[in-house]
Amino acid sequence: HVQLVESGGGLVQPGGSLRLSCTTSGASYSSYSMAWFRQAPGKEREGVAAINTGGGTTDYADSVKDRFTISQDNAKNTLYLQMNSLKPEDSAMYYCAAAGWVRAWLDQRDYIHWGQGTQVTVS
């Protein structure tokens, strides 16, 4: 049974930084596509950043390119999202997700394992 647990959210001022963490258990971390999604009140969930944990290939939504960085620590089975230059529009619940295969990195349809989310508020 795969479990994903996010942490690191909080309240930050515009222009500030946060680092989210997602710790995985119950699966071989090295064989997944993993991603961060976010959902703001009244909006659809959207993909933010994704990584192939085996090869390290990454993908980002245009809205966060050059500001967010997704990375992994295979030894700790942990996924990170470093968020810099945060804007009020980045405020949302952030979710970590994992999949064995995806048709597109930021397409949520193929992600089958999800964490409970961590709230990020930029204000």
Side-chain angles (χ1 to χ4, degrees):
H1 178 64
V2 177
Q3 288 188 311
L4 307 176
V5 179
E6 303 98 331
S7 61
L11 174 65
V12 63
Q13 293 183 343
S17 298
L18 281 175
R19 189 177 79 158
L20 306 183
S21 299
C22 173
T23 301
T24 303
S25 62
S28 173
Y29 181 85
S30 63
S31 64
Y32 275 77
S33 297
M34 298 197 70
W36 290 96
F37 291 83
R38 67 185 181 187
Q39 187 169 23
K43 294 186 177 181
E44 294 187 354
R45 189 164 56 188
E46 62 175 350
V48 175
I51 188 169
N52 176 280
T53 60
T57 304
T58 59
D59 193 21
Y60 296 91
D62 289 342
S63 59
V64 306
K65 280 180 181 177
D66 300 323
R67 299 189 299 122
F68 290 11
T69 302
I70 189 170
S71 63
Q72 60 187 12
D73 185 333
N74 287 348
K76 296 182 179 180
N77 282 359
T78 300
L79 181 74
Y80 302 102
L81 184 68
Q82 178 67 43
M83 305 186 294
N84 299 328
S85 302
L86 282 162
K87 305 174 182 180
E89 52 264 43
D90 294 318
S91 297
M93 184 71 78
Y94 282 71
Y95 299 91
C96 172
W101 173 87
V102 294
R103 69 194 78 187
W105 294 107
L106 299 179
D107 186 332
Q108 61 182 304
R109 290 177 289 176
D110 296 312
Y111 286 88
I112 58 175
H113 303 293
W114 293 82
Q116 81 290 347
T118 186
Q119 179 69 41
V120 171
T121 302
V122 185
S123 178

